[in-house]
Amino acid sequence: MSTTFIISLLLGLSIAGYFFGYRRSITLASPIGGVKNLHSRPAYYGMLVALWCGLPTFIIFLVWQSLEPSIISSLMIADLPLDYQNLPKNQLGLIINDIKNLATGNIVAGEKNAIMHAAANHYVQLQILSKWIKGGALLVLGLITLIIVCRRITPEQRARNHVEKIIRIVLFCCSTIAILTTLGIILSVLFESIRFFKAVPITDFLFGLKWSPQTAIRADQVGSSGAFGAVPVFIGTMMISAIALFIAVPIGLMSAIYLSEYAGKKFRTIAKPLLEILAGIPTVVYGFFAALSVAPFIRQTGGLLGLDVSSESALAAGLVMGIMIIPFVSSLSDDVINAVPQSLRDGSYALGATRSETIRNVVVPAALPGIIGGILLAASRAIGETMIVVMAAGLSARLTANPLETVTTITVQIVTLLVGDQEFDSPKTLAAFALGLLLFVATLILNVIALVVVRKYREQYE
Amino acid sequence: MESIMDIEGATLADNISMTLEQQAMASDQEAIKKKTIVSREDRRTVGEIYTEDPRMTCRNVNVHYGDNHAIIDANIDIGRNEVLAMIGPSGCGKSTFLRCLNRMNDTVEGCRVTGEITLDGQDIHGKNIDVVPLRAQIGMVFQKPNPFPKSIFDNVAYGPKIHGLASNKSDLEEIVETSLQKAGLWEEVKDRLNLPGTGLSGGQQQRLCIARAIAVSPEVILMDEPCSALDPIATARIEELIAELRKQYSIVIVTHSMQQAARVSGRTAYFHLGDLIEVGETERVFTNPRHQLTEDYITGRFG
Ligand SMILES: Nc1ncnc2c1ncn2[C@@H]1O[C@H](COP(=O)(O)OP(=O)(O)OP(=O)(O)O)[C@@H](O)[C@H]1O
Ligand SMILES: [Mg+2]
């Protein structure tokens, strides 16, 4: 009994439940003068049975599925000879891994012996057994609920309200999953950051002007003790994002206005998808475009103007990133500008306003909340972007306000901190979490600001 | 003409025993009949098309929305200091015709206007005519209230601002106040000029739109059912305003209320399925219509 089979079995059972419930309600309705005398329409009775039959079994299925591996492996371990069981934890882990590999037919790292073969056989048997029990139990459970719920159908039963309630609960659960996941991520980042702040004072991190996270692995090793001042990295992020937004917001907004207010239908249908392709190009491609074409170009032009431009610069990364995020601004703005009712434009035209006056004074203010949303999306894209920066702006954290020098960003530093082998409790690794937290707080503040702006304009403009 | 009504009456009676499908087909045919049974000859405009001192003239105006011929060969004058009422069943083209007068149909995709419309002897479609000042000259109040998503004050101040009618802030405030007063809205909103115009009730919004239109002092005012969302008091207020504005301006008002047309207008035009059927002095049209269709409409026999 494979997993897919069990799922389709449960699905089939639900569908059958729907038909039984449907039929039963109609049967009940005929002596009392037809379907109109039922509390709810027959479909709701069907749905009620289907939901009762499908949901609990599905939940049990999920729970079983998630507990199954650990239970089976502990059952298998319990059956191993005692001298195996008393092995140190990591050795035991290796052997269990080998046994599992043996069971699935994969290549085994260590040496094999009869005990392990037996254990592997046992493991496979347990798995098969679990599958059968699972399938059988769920089928029986589903059938029982189907029958019970079906038999409890009465003409007065408030099936519609019942179904609506169940649906509401399901929807609620789904939204909670998203919220809980976010919360989980935040908490784990927060706890790791707190561990980091035990090693490095939070004030050093927030206000320190030097970022060089190379700590000595052994006490006797030569090397710097590491400096974890996040300011240069943070400034780098802000500078590159600002350059990117500086490019993307005007171009994106204006192209949106052109597309929605001036362009003909034909041009629009061609231009809009083309513009959106920009967002679909992988960032690596942008990255080497930035590193191989834009950065040298800026260096050369800078050289002609007598400026000293380094071969990797914030400007190059920012420019290319700006182009990448244009569609976020333009596409969303275009949509909201199109959603502004024509009657508002007509009202303005009828007062003798020109097209640009109408756009400036009526259309854009009316579309502002959506436009801000687009800009915000673009901004978070820019702040989170890594690849372009790695390739075009460099890795060295330098505290500078000059966009022609190399800088680095939070995301890039997180990557460099976590790439390669290291212990997971050295300050160097934990610093990544602190940076992540910083990034999170920064985007959160950005969101709040945008929300406040939108609300302020809403009050004024709606 | 009587015989048409008889035919219609008969089809109606037959409808009762028809299936839905047949009914749909029958009503299609009926619509076609309505259009075709009155011959081209009989749909020629009767009454007094011309006035002595026209502010605007319309000659052979035809409007097409794609394949839909919405206005067919309309000829009419709009006099100086005159209130012209346009009446007719829903969908007969009153709004469409009104929108021709300030070229608002330019903004409608697929809409084609032909014929000659003049304002003070100048063809409004002429090459040397700029539509922007034209629309400032010919104000419009729309059928559906469409206040801007701005404060009440900014709604009214919008026109004067873009045309530079006020040299300073107090000028602007005065324009806003008088416009709102004329529209009969001042008392209700004077304490909340900074609140959004969209937060007003439907009737208040309509008056706000009227105030907005008269704030730029247009010379011709087109009103598309300005009182459809107003209570009798506000309606009376607007009718007073129309009487007052007439002293200086020309006004065209679309209305579904024949009483209102009788109260405010000097001349009345009756539209029927895209045709301008009858034009004449309001009193004459209502008491002694010359066209059968007009008579049918004002006596409430259809429409
Ligand atoms: N924007 C448009 N696109 C296509 N057809 C339109 C458009 N506006 C109006 N029409 C058509 O033109 C005809 C006249 O419409 P119009 O709005 O002028 O009627 P009306 O007399 O103002 O009716 P009502 O009294 O209901 O407002 C109708 O058949 C309508 O379907
Ligand atoms: Mg209309």
Side-chain angles (χ1 to χ4, degrees), chain A residues 19-65:
Chain A
F19 282 109
F20 282 124
Y22 192 93
R23 290 273 297 283
R24 171 123 180 108
S25 68
I26 289 183
T27 321
L28 284 173
S30 59
I32 57 168
V35 174
K36 65 178 188 298
N37 288 331
L38 291 174
H39 172 270
S40 311
R41 278 183 291 120
Y44 280 105
Y45 291 98
M47 213 115 83
L48 187 67
V49 179
L51 284 173
W52 267 112
C53 178
L55 274 183
T57 44
F58 187 64
I59 291 168
I60 292 173
F61 172 74
L62 283 185
V63 173
W64 193 306
Q65 204 72 357

Side-chain angles (χ1 to χ4, degrees), chain B residues 194-205:
Chain B
N194 290 321
L195 294 188
T198 40
L200 296 172
S201 80
Q204 288 171 329
Q205 287 185 12

Side-chain angles (χ1 to χ4, degrees), chain B residues 35 63-66 68-71 87-99 105 108-111 143 224-225 254-256 271 273-274 297:
Chain B
K35 258 205 154 158
V63 184
H64 295 262
Y65 290 111
N68 180 4
H69 200 169
I71 294 287
I87 59 171
S90 184
C92 66
K94 304 180 296 291
S95 301
T96 302
F97 188 71
L98 204 66
R99 292 165 62 93
N105 281 329
V108 180
E109 216 166 297
C111 182
Q143 187 163 2
D224 200 344
E225 294 183 43
V254 172
T255 175
H256 275 297
F271 284 80
L273 292 173
Y297 182 71

Side-chain angles (χ1 to χ4, degrees), chain A residues 211-217 222-228 413 416-417 422 428:
Chain A
W211 177 266
S212 78
Q214 299 310 323
T215 46
I217 292 173
V222 282
S224 57
S225 59
F228 292 96
Q413 283 312 306
T416 48
L417 287 176
Q422 56 247 310
K428 187 185 164 194

Side-chain angles (χ1 to χ4, degrees), chain A residues 5 30 120 150 168 210 238 299 322 400:
Chain A
F5 181 71
S30 59
C150 233
R168 213 180 66 204
K210 190 163 162 26
M238 288 299 131
R299 193 175 150 81
T400 173

Side-chain angles (χ1 to χ4, degrees), chain A residues 28 31 42 84-85 176 195 206 240 245 297 311 354-355 357 374:
Chain A
L28 284 173
Y84 273 89
Q85 287 189 40
T176 352
R195 275 176 67 193
L206 285 182
I240 291 185
L245 287 177
F297 174 74
S311 62
T354 63
R355 204 183 269 223
E357 281 165 345

Side-chain angles (χ1 to χ4, degrees), chain B residues 17 24 36-37 43 65 138 152 159 174 188-189 192 199 218 299:
Chain B
S17 57
T36 52
I37 211 160
R43 285 187 286 154
Y65 290 111
I138 308 179
I152 295 171
E174 199 184 310
E188 283 158 73
V189 299
R192 45 171 173 154
T299 54

Side-chain angles (χ1 to χ4, degrees), chain A residues 343 348-349 351-352 361 461-462, chain B residues 132 146 149-150 158 163 196 198:
Chain A
S343 67
S348 174
Y349 292 142
L351 288 169
N361 297 317
Y461 284 115
E462 221 166 81
Chain B
V132 168
N146 55 349
K150 295 174 183 295
Y158 183 81
H163 295 300
T198 40

